[in-house]
Amino acid sequence: MVCVRNTSYSLLMNGRVQGSFKGKKGLRQGDPMSPLIFVLIMEYLTRSLQHAAQISNFRYHPMCKSLKLLNLCFADDLILFCKGTRSAVTIFKEVLVKFSAATGLSINANKSHIYFGGVTATERRIIAQDIQFPEGSFPLRNYWMSVFILPQSIIKEVEKICRGFLWGASGSRRKLHMASWHQVCLPKAYGGLRFRDGTNWNRAILAKYIWAVLEKQDLLWVKWIKDIYLKGVNFWSYIMKPDSSWYWRKLCHLRSKFSKIEILAAGVSGRFKPSKLYNSTLNQ
């Protein structure tokens, strides 16, 4: 509480400080104590869920039963897993009510979705900002490519905007491209600008998940993949089932794009380097 009560807040009005007041409750935004408190509170919730799961009429979600997986937490998001029975849901609800009463936190259930319907005007401006980062790093594009295999229509549209920004474009008027996009995407040592081809770069980034399956046995999601899909079978000899998820099928398709040796070689000091894997495709 010393960390809470020793804080003070200043009021800035019309460019001048107009006094201050002491903090009495809660932490400042961005306070380094926040992650620690979050972990402590979520640990309490996790143990409460585990204790409740020992009740005889509780049923685990079929895909989480072997690992006894009940919940995943990240920032202010919480995902709960159980079999869709009235008794299991009732048990979870009782735990959340007690958790809310003990911590003073309210529970909000939200639905969300992600939609790739094209590139909007706002996205065009963001992409134009991305292209100004050194050596074609494209942070916004890289973020989405590290999560999804983007539709080819989106990749082509993004690259079209990037080419227009690089060579100059205004409305329907476009300047002459002094070099092909393939040339621009080559490393500087080969006369390029080190931009990256969207399709191949997307594949190289997502190959990190294959590398994790091969090298990171301690990760929870890797344990889940091996328990649900692989079941003791080597990843490279695994035969996809008709009911496999869309995302898992996409990852398995990457086996035809990269070899096991190439993916393992992209791991350096326990970290996956997608640029190393991407560069290996330039010679193909």
Side-chain angles (χ1 to χ4, degrees), residues 174-200:
R174 290 176 172 78
K175 294 184 179 180
L176 179 66
H177 294 185
M178 304 304 294
S180 67
W181 185 247
H182 172 75
Q183 181 71 26
V184 170
C185 291
L186 291 176
K188 290 182 178 180
Y190 292 88
L193 295 180
R194 207 176 172 184
F195 286 75
R196 296 186 173 112
D197 173 76
T199 300
N200 290 331

Side-chain angles (χ1 to χ4, degrees), residues 105-232:
L105 300 176
S106 59
I107 306 298
N108 296 319
N110 298 314
K111 294 182 179 180
S112 62
H113 67 278
I114 297 175
Y115 170 67
F116 290 104
V119 182
T120 66
T122 302
E123 291 167 337
R124 289 174 182 266
R125 290 193 292 270
I126 295 174
I127 293 166
Q129 295 171 8
D130 270 355
I131 202 172
Q132 299 177 60
F133 279 75
E135 299 182 341
S137 55
F138 294 97
L140 179 66
R141 184 183 70 164
N142 287 352
Y143 169 75
W144 288 112
M145 285 186 170
S146 68
V147 181
F148 299 104
I149 294 181
L150 300 185
Q152 287 298 306
S153 59
I154 297 297
I155 292 177
K156 290 180 180 179
E157 179 68 12
V158 171
E159 290 185 344
K160 178 182 177 182
I161 297 170
C162 292
R163 290 195 301 270
F165 182 89
L166 181 63
W167 300 114
S170 178
S172 60
R173 300 178 59 187
R174 290 176 172 78
K175 294 184 179 180
L176 179 66
H177 294 185
M178 304 304 294
S180 67
W181 185 247
H182 172 75
Q183 181 71 26
V184 170
C185 291
L186 291 176
K188 290 182 178 180
Y190 292 88
L193 295 180
R194 207 176 172 184
F195 286 75
R196 296 186 173 112
D197 173 76
T199 300
N200 290 331
W201 181 238
N202 194 182
R203 294 168 179 166
I205 293 180
L206 287 179
K208 68 182 179 181
Y209 296 116
I210 297 179
W211 176 80
V213 170
L214 300 175
E215 294 290 291
K216 295 292 184 179
Q217 312 303 320
D218 57 325
L219 295 181
L220 176 61
W221 77 268
V222 172
K223 294 179 180 178
W224 187 86
I225 285 293
K226 292 192 172 184
D227 182 75
I228 299 299
Y229 288 120
L230 298 181
K231 298 180 179 180

Side-chain angles (χ1 to χ4, degrees), residues 240-253:
M240 284 185 291
K241 305 295 190 299
D243 60 345
S244 297
S245 70
W246 171 88
Y247 199 87
W248 175 244
R249 293 199 303 271
K250 291 292 185 180
L251 291 180
C252 289
H253 287 324

Side-chain angles (χ1 to χ4, degrees), residues 40-60:
L40 292 175
I41 293 176
M42 288 299 104
E43 179 66 16
Y44 164 65
L45 175 60
T46 299
R47 294 192 182 196
S48 298
L49 292 170
Q50 291 173 344
H51 177 73
Q54 298 175 3
I55 300 175
S56 59
N57 58 351
F58 178 82
R59 303 287 297 277
Y60 284 94

